[in-house]
Amino acid sequence: MNKKYNEMAFSWYKKAYTKKLLNNKPVTKKEFSSFMKATIFSQVSDEYSNQVNVIIHKTFNYAKDRVKKKVAQIDKSNAIQKIKIELPNLELNKALKFAILNDLISCNNTDSERMTNFLKILDNDNNQNKKQGDKNE
């Protein structure tokens, strides 16, 4: 399979998966197919439509599998589990999936420590703002 198509599919799928995390909007092969046919394969004649559909199917599955493997690191990583234990009051699954998918963090101990500190700062600021809001009322 053409590496260029695979990388394009992966990039598209990452963006679609981010929308899923934000809006619970499912990632569909139909949308991917429409995107590929409108951009990459717009100049291809109808006689090659079966080949185009095979390429679309394979690249979509490649991207989907790659994203799933990347996101699955969250459940397998002891460092990520440590973050979840240290900050039980935060719903972190979607944020961590986004961060790992977009290479903002990895599943090593250094990144998990930085992410924990970052989340603690956010959590502390959020709690302080809530307390100040309660005092003003």
Side-chain angles (χ1 to χ4, degrees):
M1 190 55 49
N2 188 326
K3 188 174 182 176
K4 181 176 103 176
Y5 294 149
N6 284 339
E7 289 306 312
M8 192 174 295
F10 179 64
S11 178
W12 182 90
Y13 201 94
K14 273 187 359 181
K15 290 177 185 176
Y17 194 84
T18 298
K19 287 181 183 178
K20 176 184 176 183
L21 293 173
L22 293 171
N23 306 323
N24 294 323
K25 185 179 184 284
V27 180
T28 65
K29 192 181 289 188
K30 183 178 179 181
E31 286 180 349
F32 177 72
S33 179
S34 296
F35 165 77
M36 292 294 277
K37 286 178 180 176
T39 56
I40 307 303
F41 300 114
S42 62
Q43 303 297 320
V44 176
S45 66
D46 289 339
E47 64 189 67
Y48 296 106
S49 66
N50 286 340
Q51 292 168 321
V52 166
N53 288 335
V54 168
I55 292 170
I56 288 171
H57 177 75
K58 286 183 178 183
T59 55
F60 180 83
N61 289 339
Y62 165 82
K64 183 178 178 179
D65 290 343
R66 192 166 158 196
V67 166
K68 279 186 174 183
K69 286 177 185 173
K70 205 162 183 152
V71 169
Q73 294 174 6
I74 292 170
D75 297 325
K76 295 176 184 174
S77 168
N78 291 333
I80 298 297
Q81 296 308 317
K82 188 174 141 185
I83 292 174
K84 290 180 180 181
I85 290 169
E86 285 187 41
L87 299 165
N89 57 328
L90 296 176
E91 179 53 49
L92 299 174
N93 271 341
K94 286 184 178 182
L96 291 170
K97 285 178 182 179
F98 176 81
I100 285 179
L101 183 61
N102 291 286
D103 298 321
L104 301 174
I105 63 167
S106 64
C107 290
N108 63 37
N109 287 330
T110 305
D111 278 354
S112 74
E113 186 177 321
R114 286 189 298 186
M115 182 58 112
T116 302
N117 291 336
F118 175 73
L119 292 168
K120 283 180 179 178
I121 291 168
L122 285 176
D123 191 37
N124 288 339
D125 287 348
N126 189 29
N127 288 337
Q128 286 177 356
N129 289 338
K130 284 181 183 178
K131 288 178 185 176
Q132 288 176 355
D134 292 341
K135 288 180 184 177
N136 292 338
E137 290 178 2

